[in-house]
Amino acid sequence: IGAITEYYASVMSEGADVCDLCSSWISHLPPDLKLGRVAGLGMNAEELSRNERLTEMVVQDLNIEPKLPFEDSSFDFVCNVVSVDYLNKPLEIFREMHRILRPGGSAIMSFSNRCFPTKAIAIWGQTDDSGHIWIVGSYYKFSADWADVKAMDISPAKGMSDPMFVVQGTK
């Protein structure tokens, strides 16, 4: 949690509008960073209602309906913490993320080597960390005209802690 919160603090600016996909009760957004609109989209209304960083919430299962209910070019950041491995319509969702980002906005997908194997897409469990990075990177490559796609290891103590990776692209 600390690693992704620190990463967000390093790339997000005050007043930024953020869409948190697969959101839940906990926020990974820096608590002291004053953001603009923070829209959380997740599957559980009760959990979303407990997320104090959200200014609005949408209950939606992206595996059933991948179309995001937001206007074009309405966010500076789209983020997804440890749930990209559960998306079974990733290209549609990545096209939608691109649509709702403002020019110059970034989509930040973060993940670890942990997951619920029964919920993750089949290939996720058959690959290692570098394979996971490749999978998420391919979502950017084959979905829209993303720029500056990059992958980073943001693990807090490489080799001594749970790993944490980010794959990020810019509109």
Side-chain angles (χ1 to χ4, degrees):
I1 293 171
I4 192 60
T5 300
E6 286 179 29
Y7 183 75
Y8 287 159
S10 74
V11 298
M12 292 182 177
S13 56
E14 187 170 314
D17 294 324
V18 179
C19 178
D20 184 10
L21 294 183
C22 304
S23 190
S24 186
W25 66 275
I26 189 168
S27 175
H28 299 84
L29 298 168
D32 55 343
L33 180 62
K34 293 192 184 336
L35 297 168
R37 176 184 186 192
V38 180
L41 186 148
M43 292 177 36
N44 186 309
E46 182 180 332
E47 288 182 5
L48 289 169
S49 70
R50 292 185 4 222
N51 187 327
E52 295 177 0
R53 289 305 309 261
L54 302 181
T55 61
E56 63 188 88
M57 60 182 218
V58 175
V59 176
Q60 180 175 325
D61 184 342
L62 292 173
N63 288 332
I64 294 172
E65 177 51 67
K67 178 148 179 57
L68 300 176
F70 306 111
E71 297 291 321
D72 295 357
S73 303
S74 54
F75 293 97
D76 301 298
F77 293 93
V78 175
C79 53
N80 178 306
V81 178
V82 300
S83 294
V84 69
D85 48 328
Y86 304 131
L87 302 176
N88 65 22
K89 296 177 179 161
L91 298 181
E92 293 93 327
I93 294 165
F94 274 62
R95 278 192 286 275
E96 282 291 296
M97 292 187 317
H98 192 270
R99 179 185 64 77
I100 67 170
L101 279 170
R102 295 181 177 119
S106 291
I108 304 170
M109 304 294 109
S110 60
F111 50 89
S112 180
N113 63 352
R114 297 182 183 225
C115 70
F116 294 105
T118 57
K119 295 180 181 180
I121 59 170
I123 195 170
W124 200 265
Q126 300 168 15
T127 56
D128 59 8
D129 295 335
S130 60
H132 299 157
I133 291 166
W134 183 87
I135 290 166
V136 177
S138 71
Y139 294 163
Y140 286 98
K141 179 170 178 56
F142 296 110
S143 64
D145 189 21
W146 294 97
D148 193 30
V149 176
K150 56 189 173 188
M152 293 153 281
D153 181 346
I154 62 165
S155 304
K158 292 176 181 55
M160 299 176 63
S161 67
D162 287 340
M164 188 61 152
F165 304 97
V166 165
V167 182
Q168 179 173 340
T170 303
K171 177 175 179 178

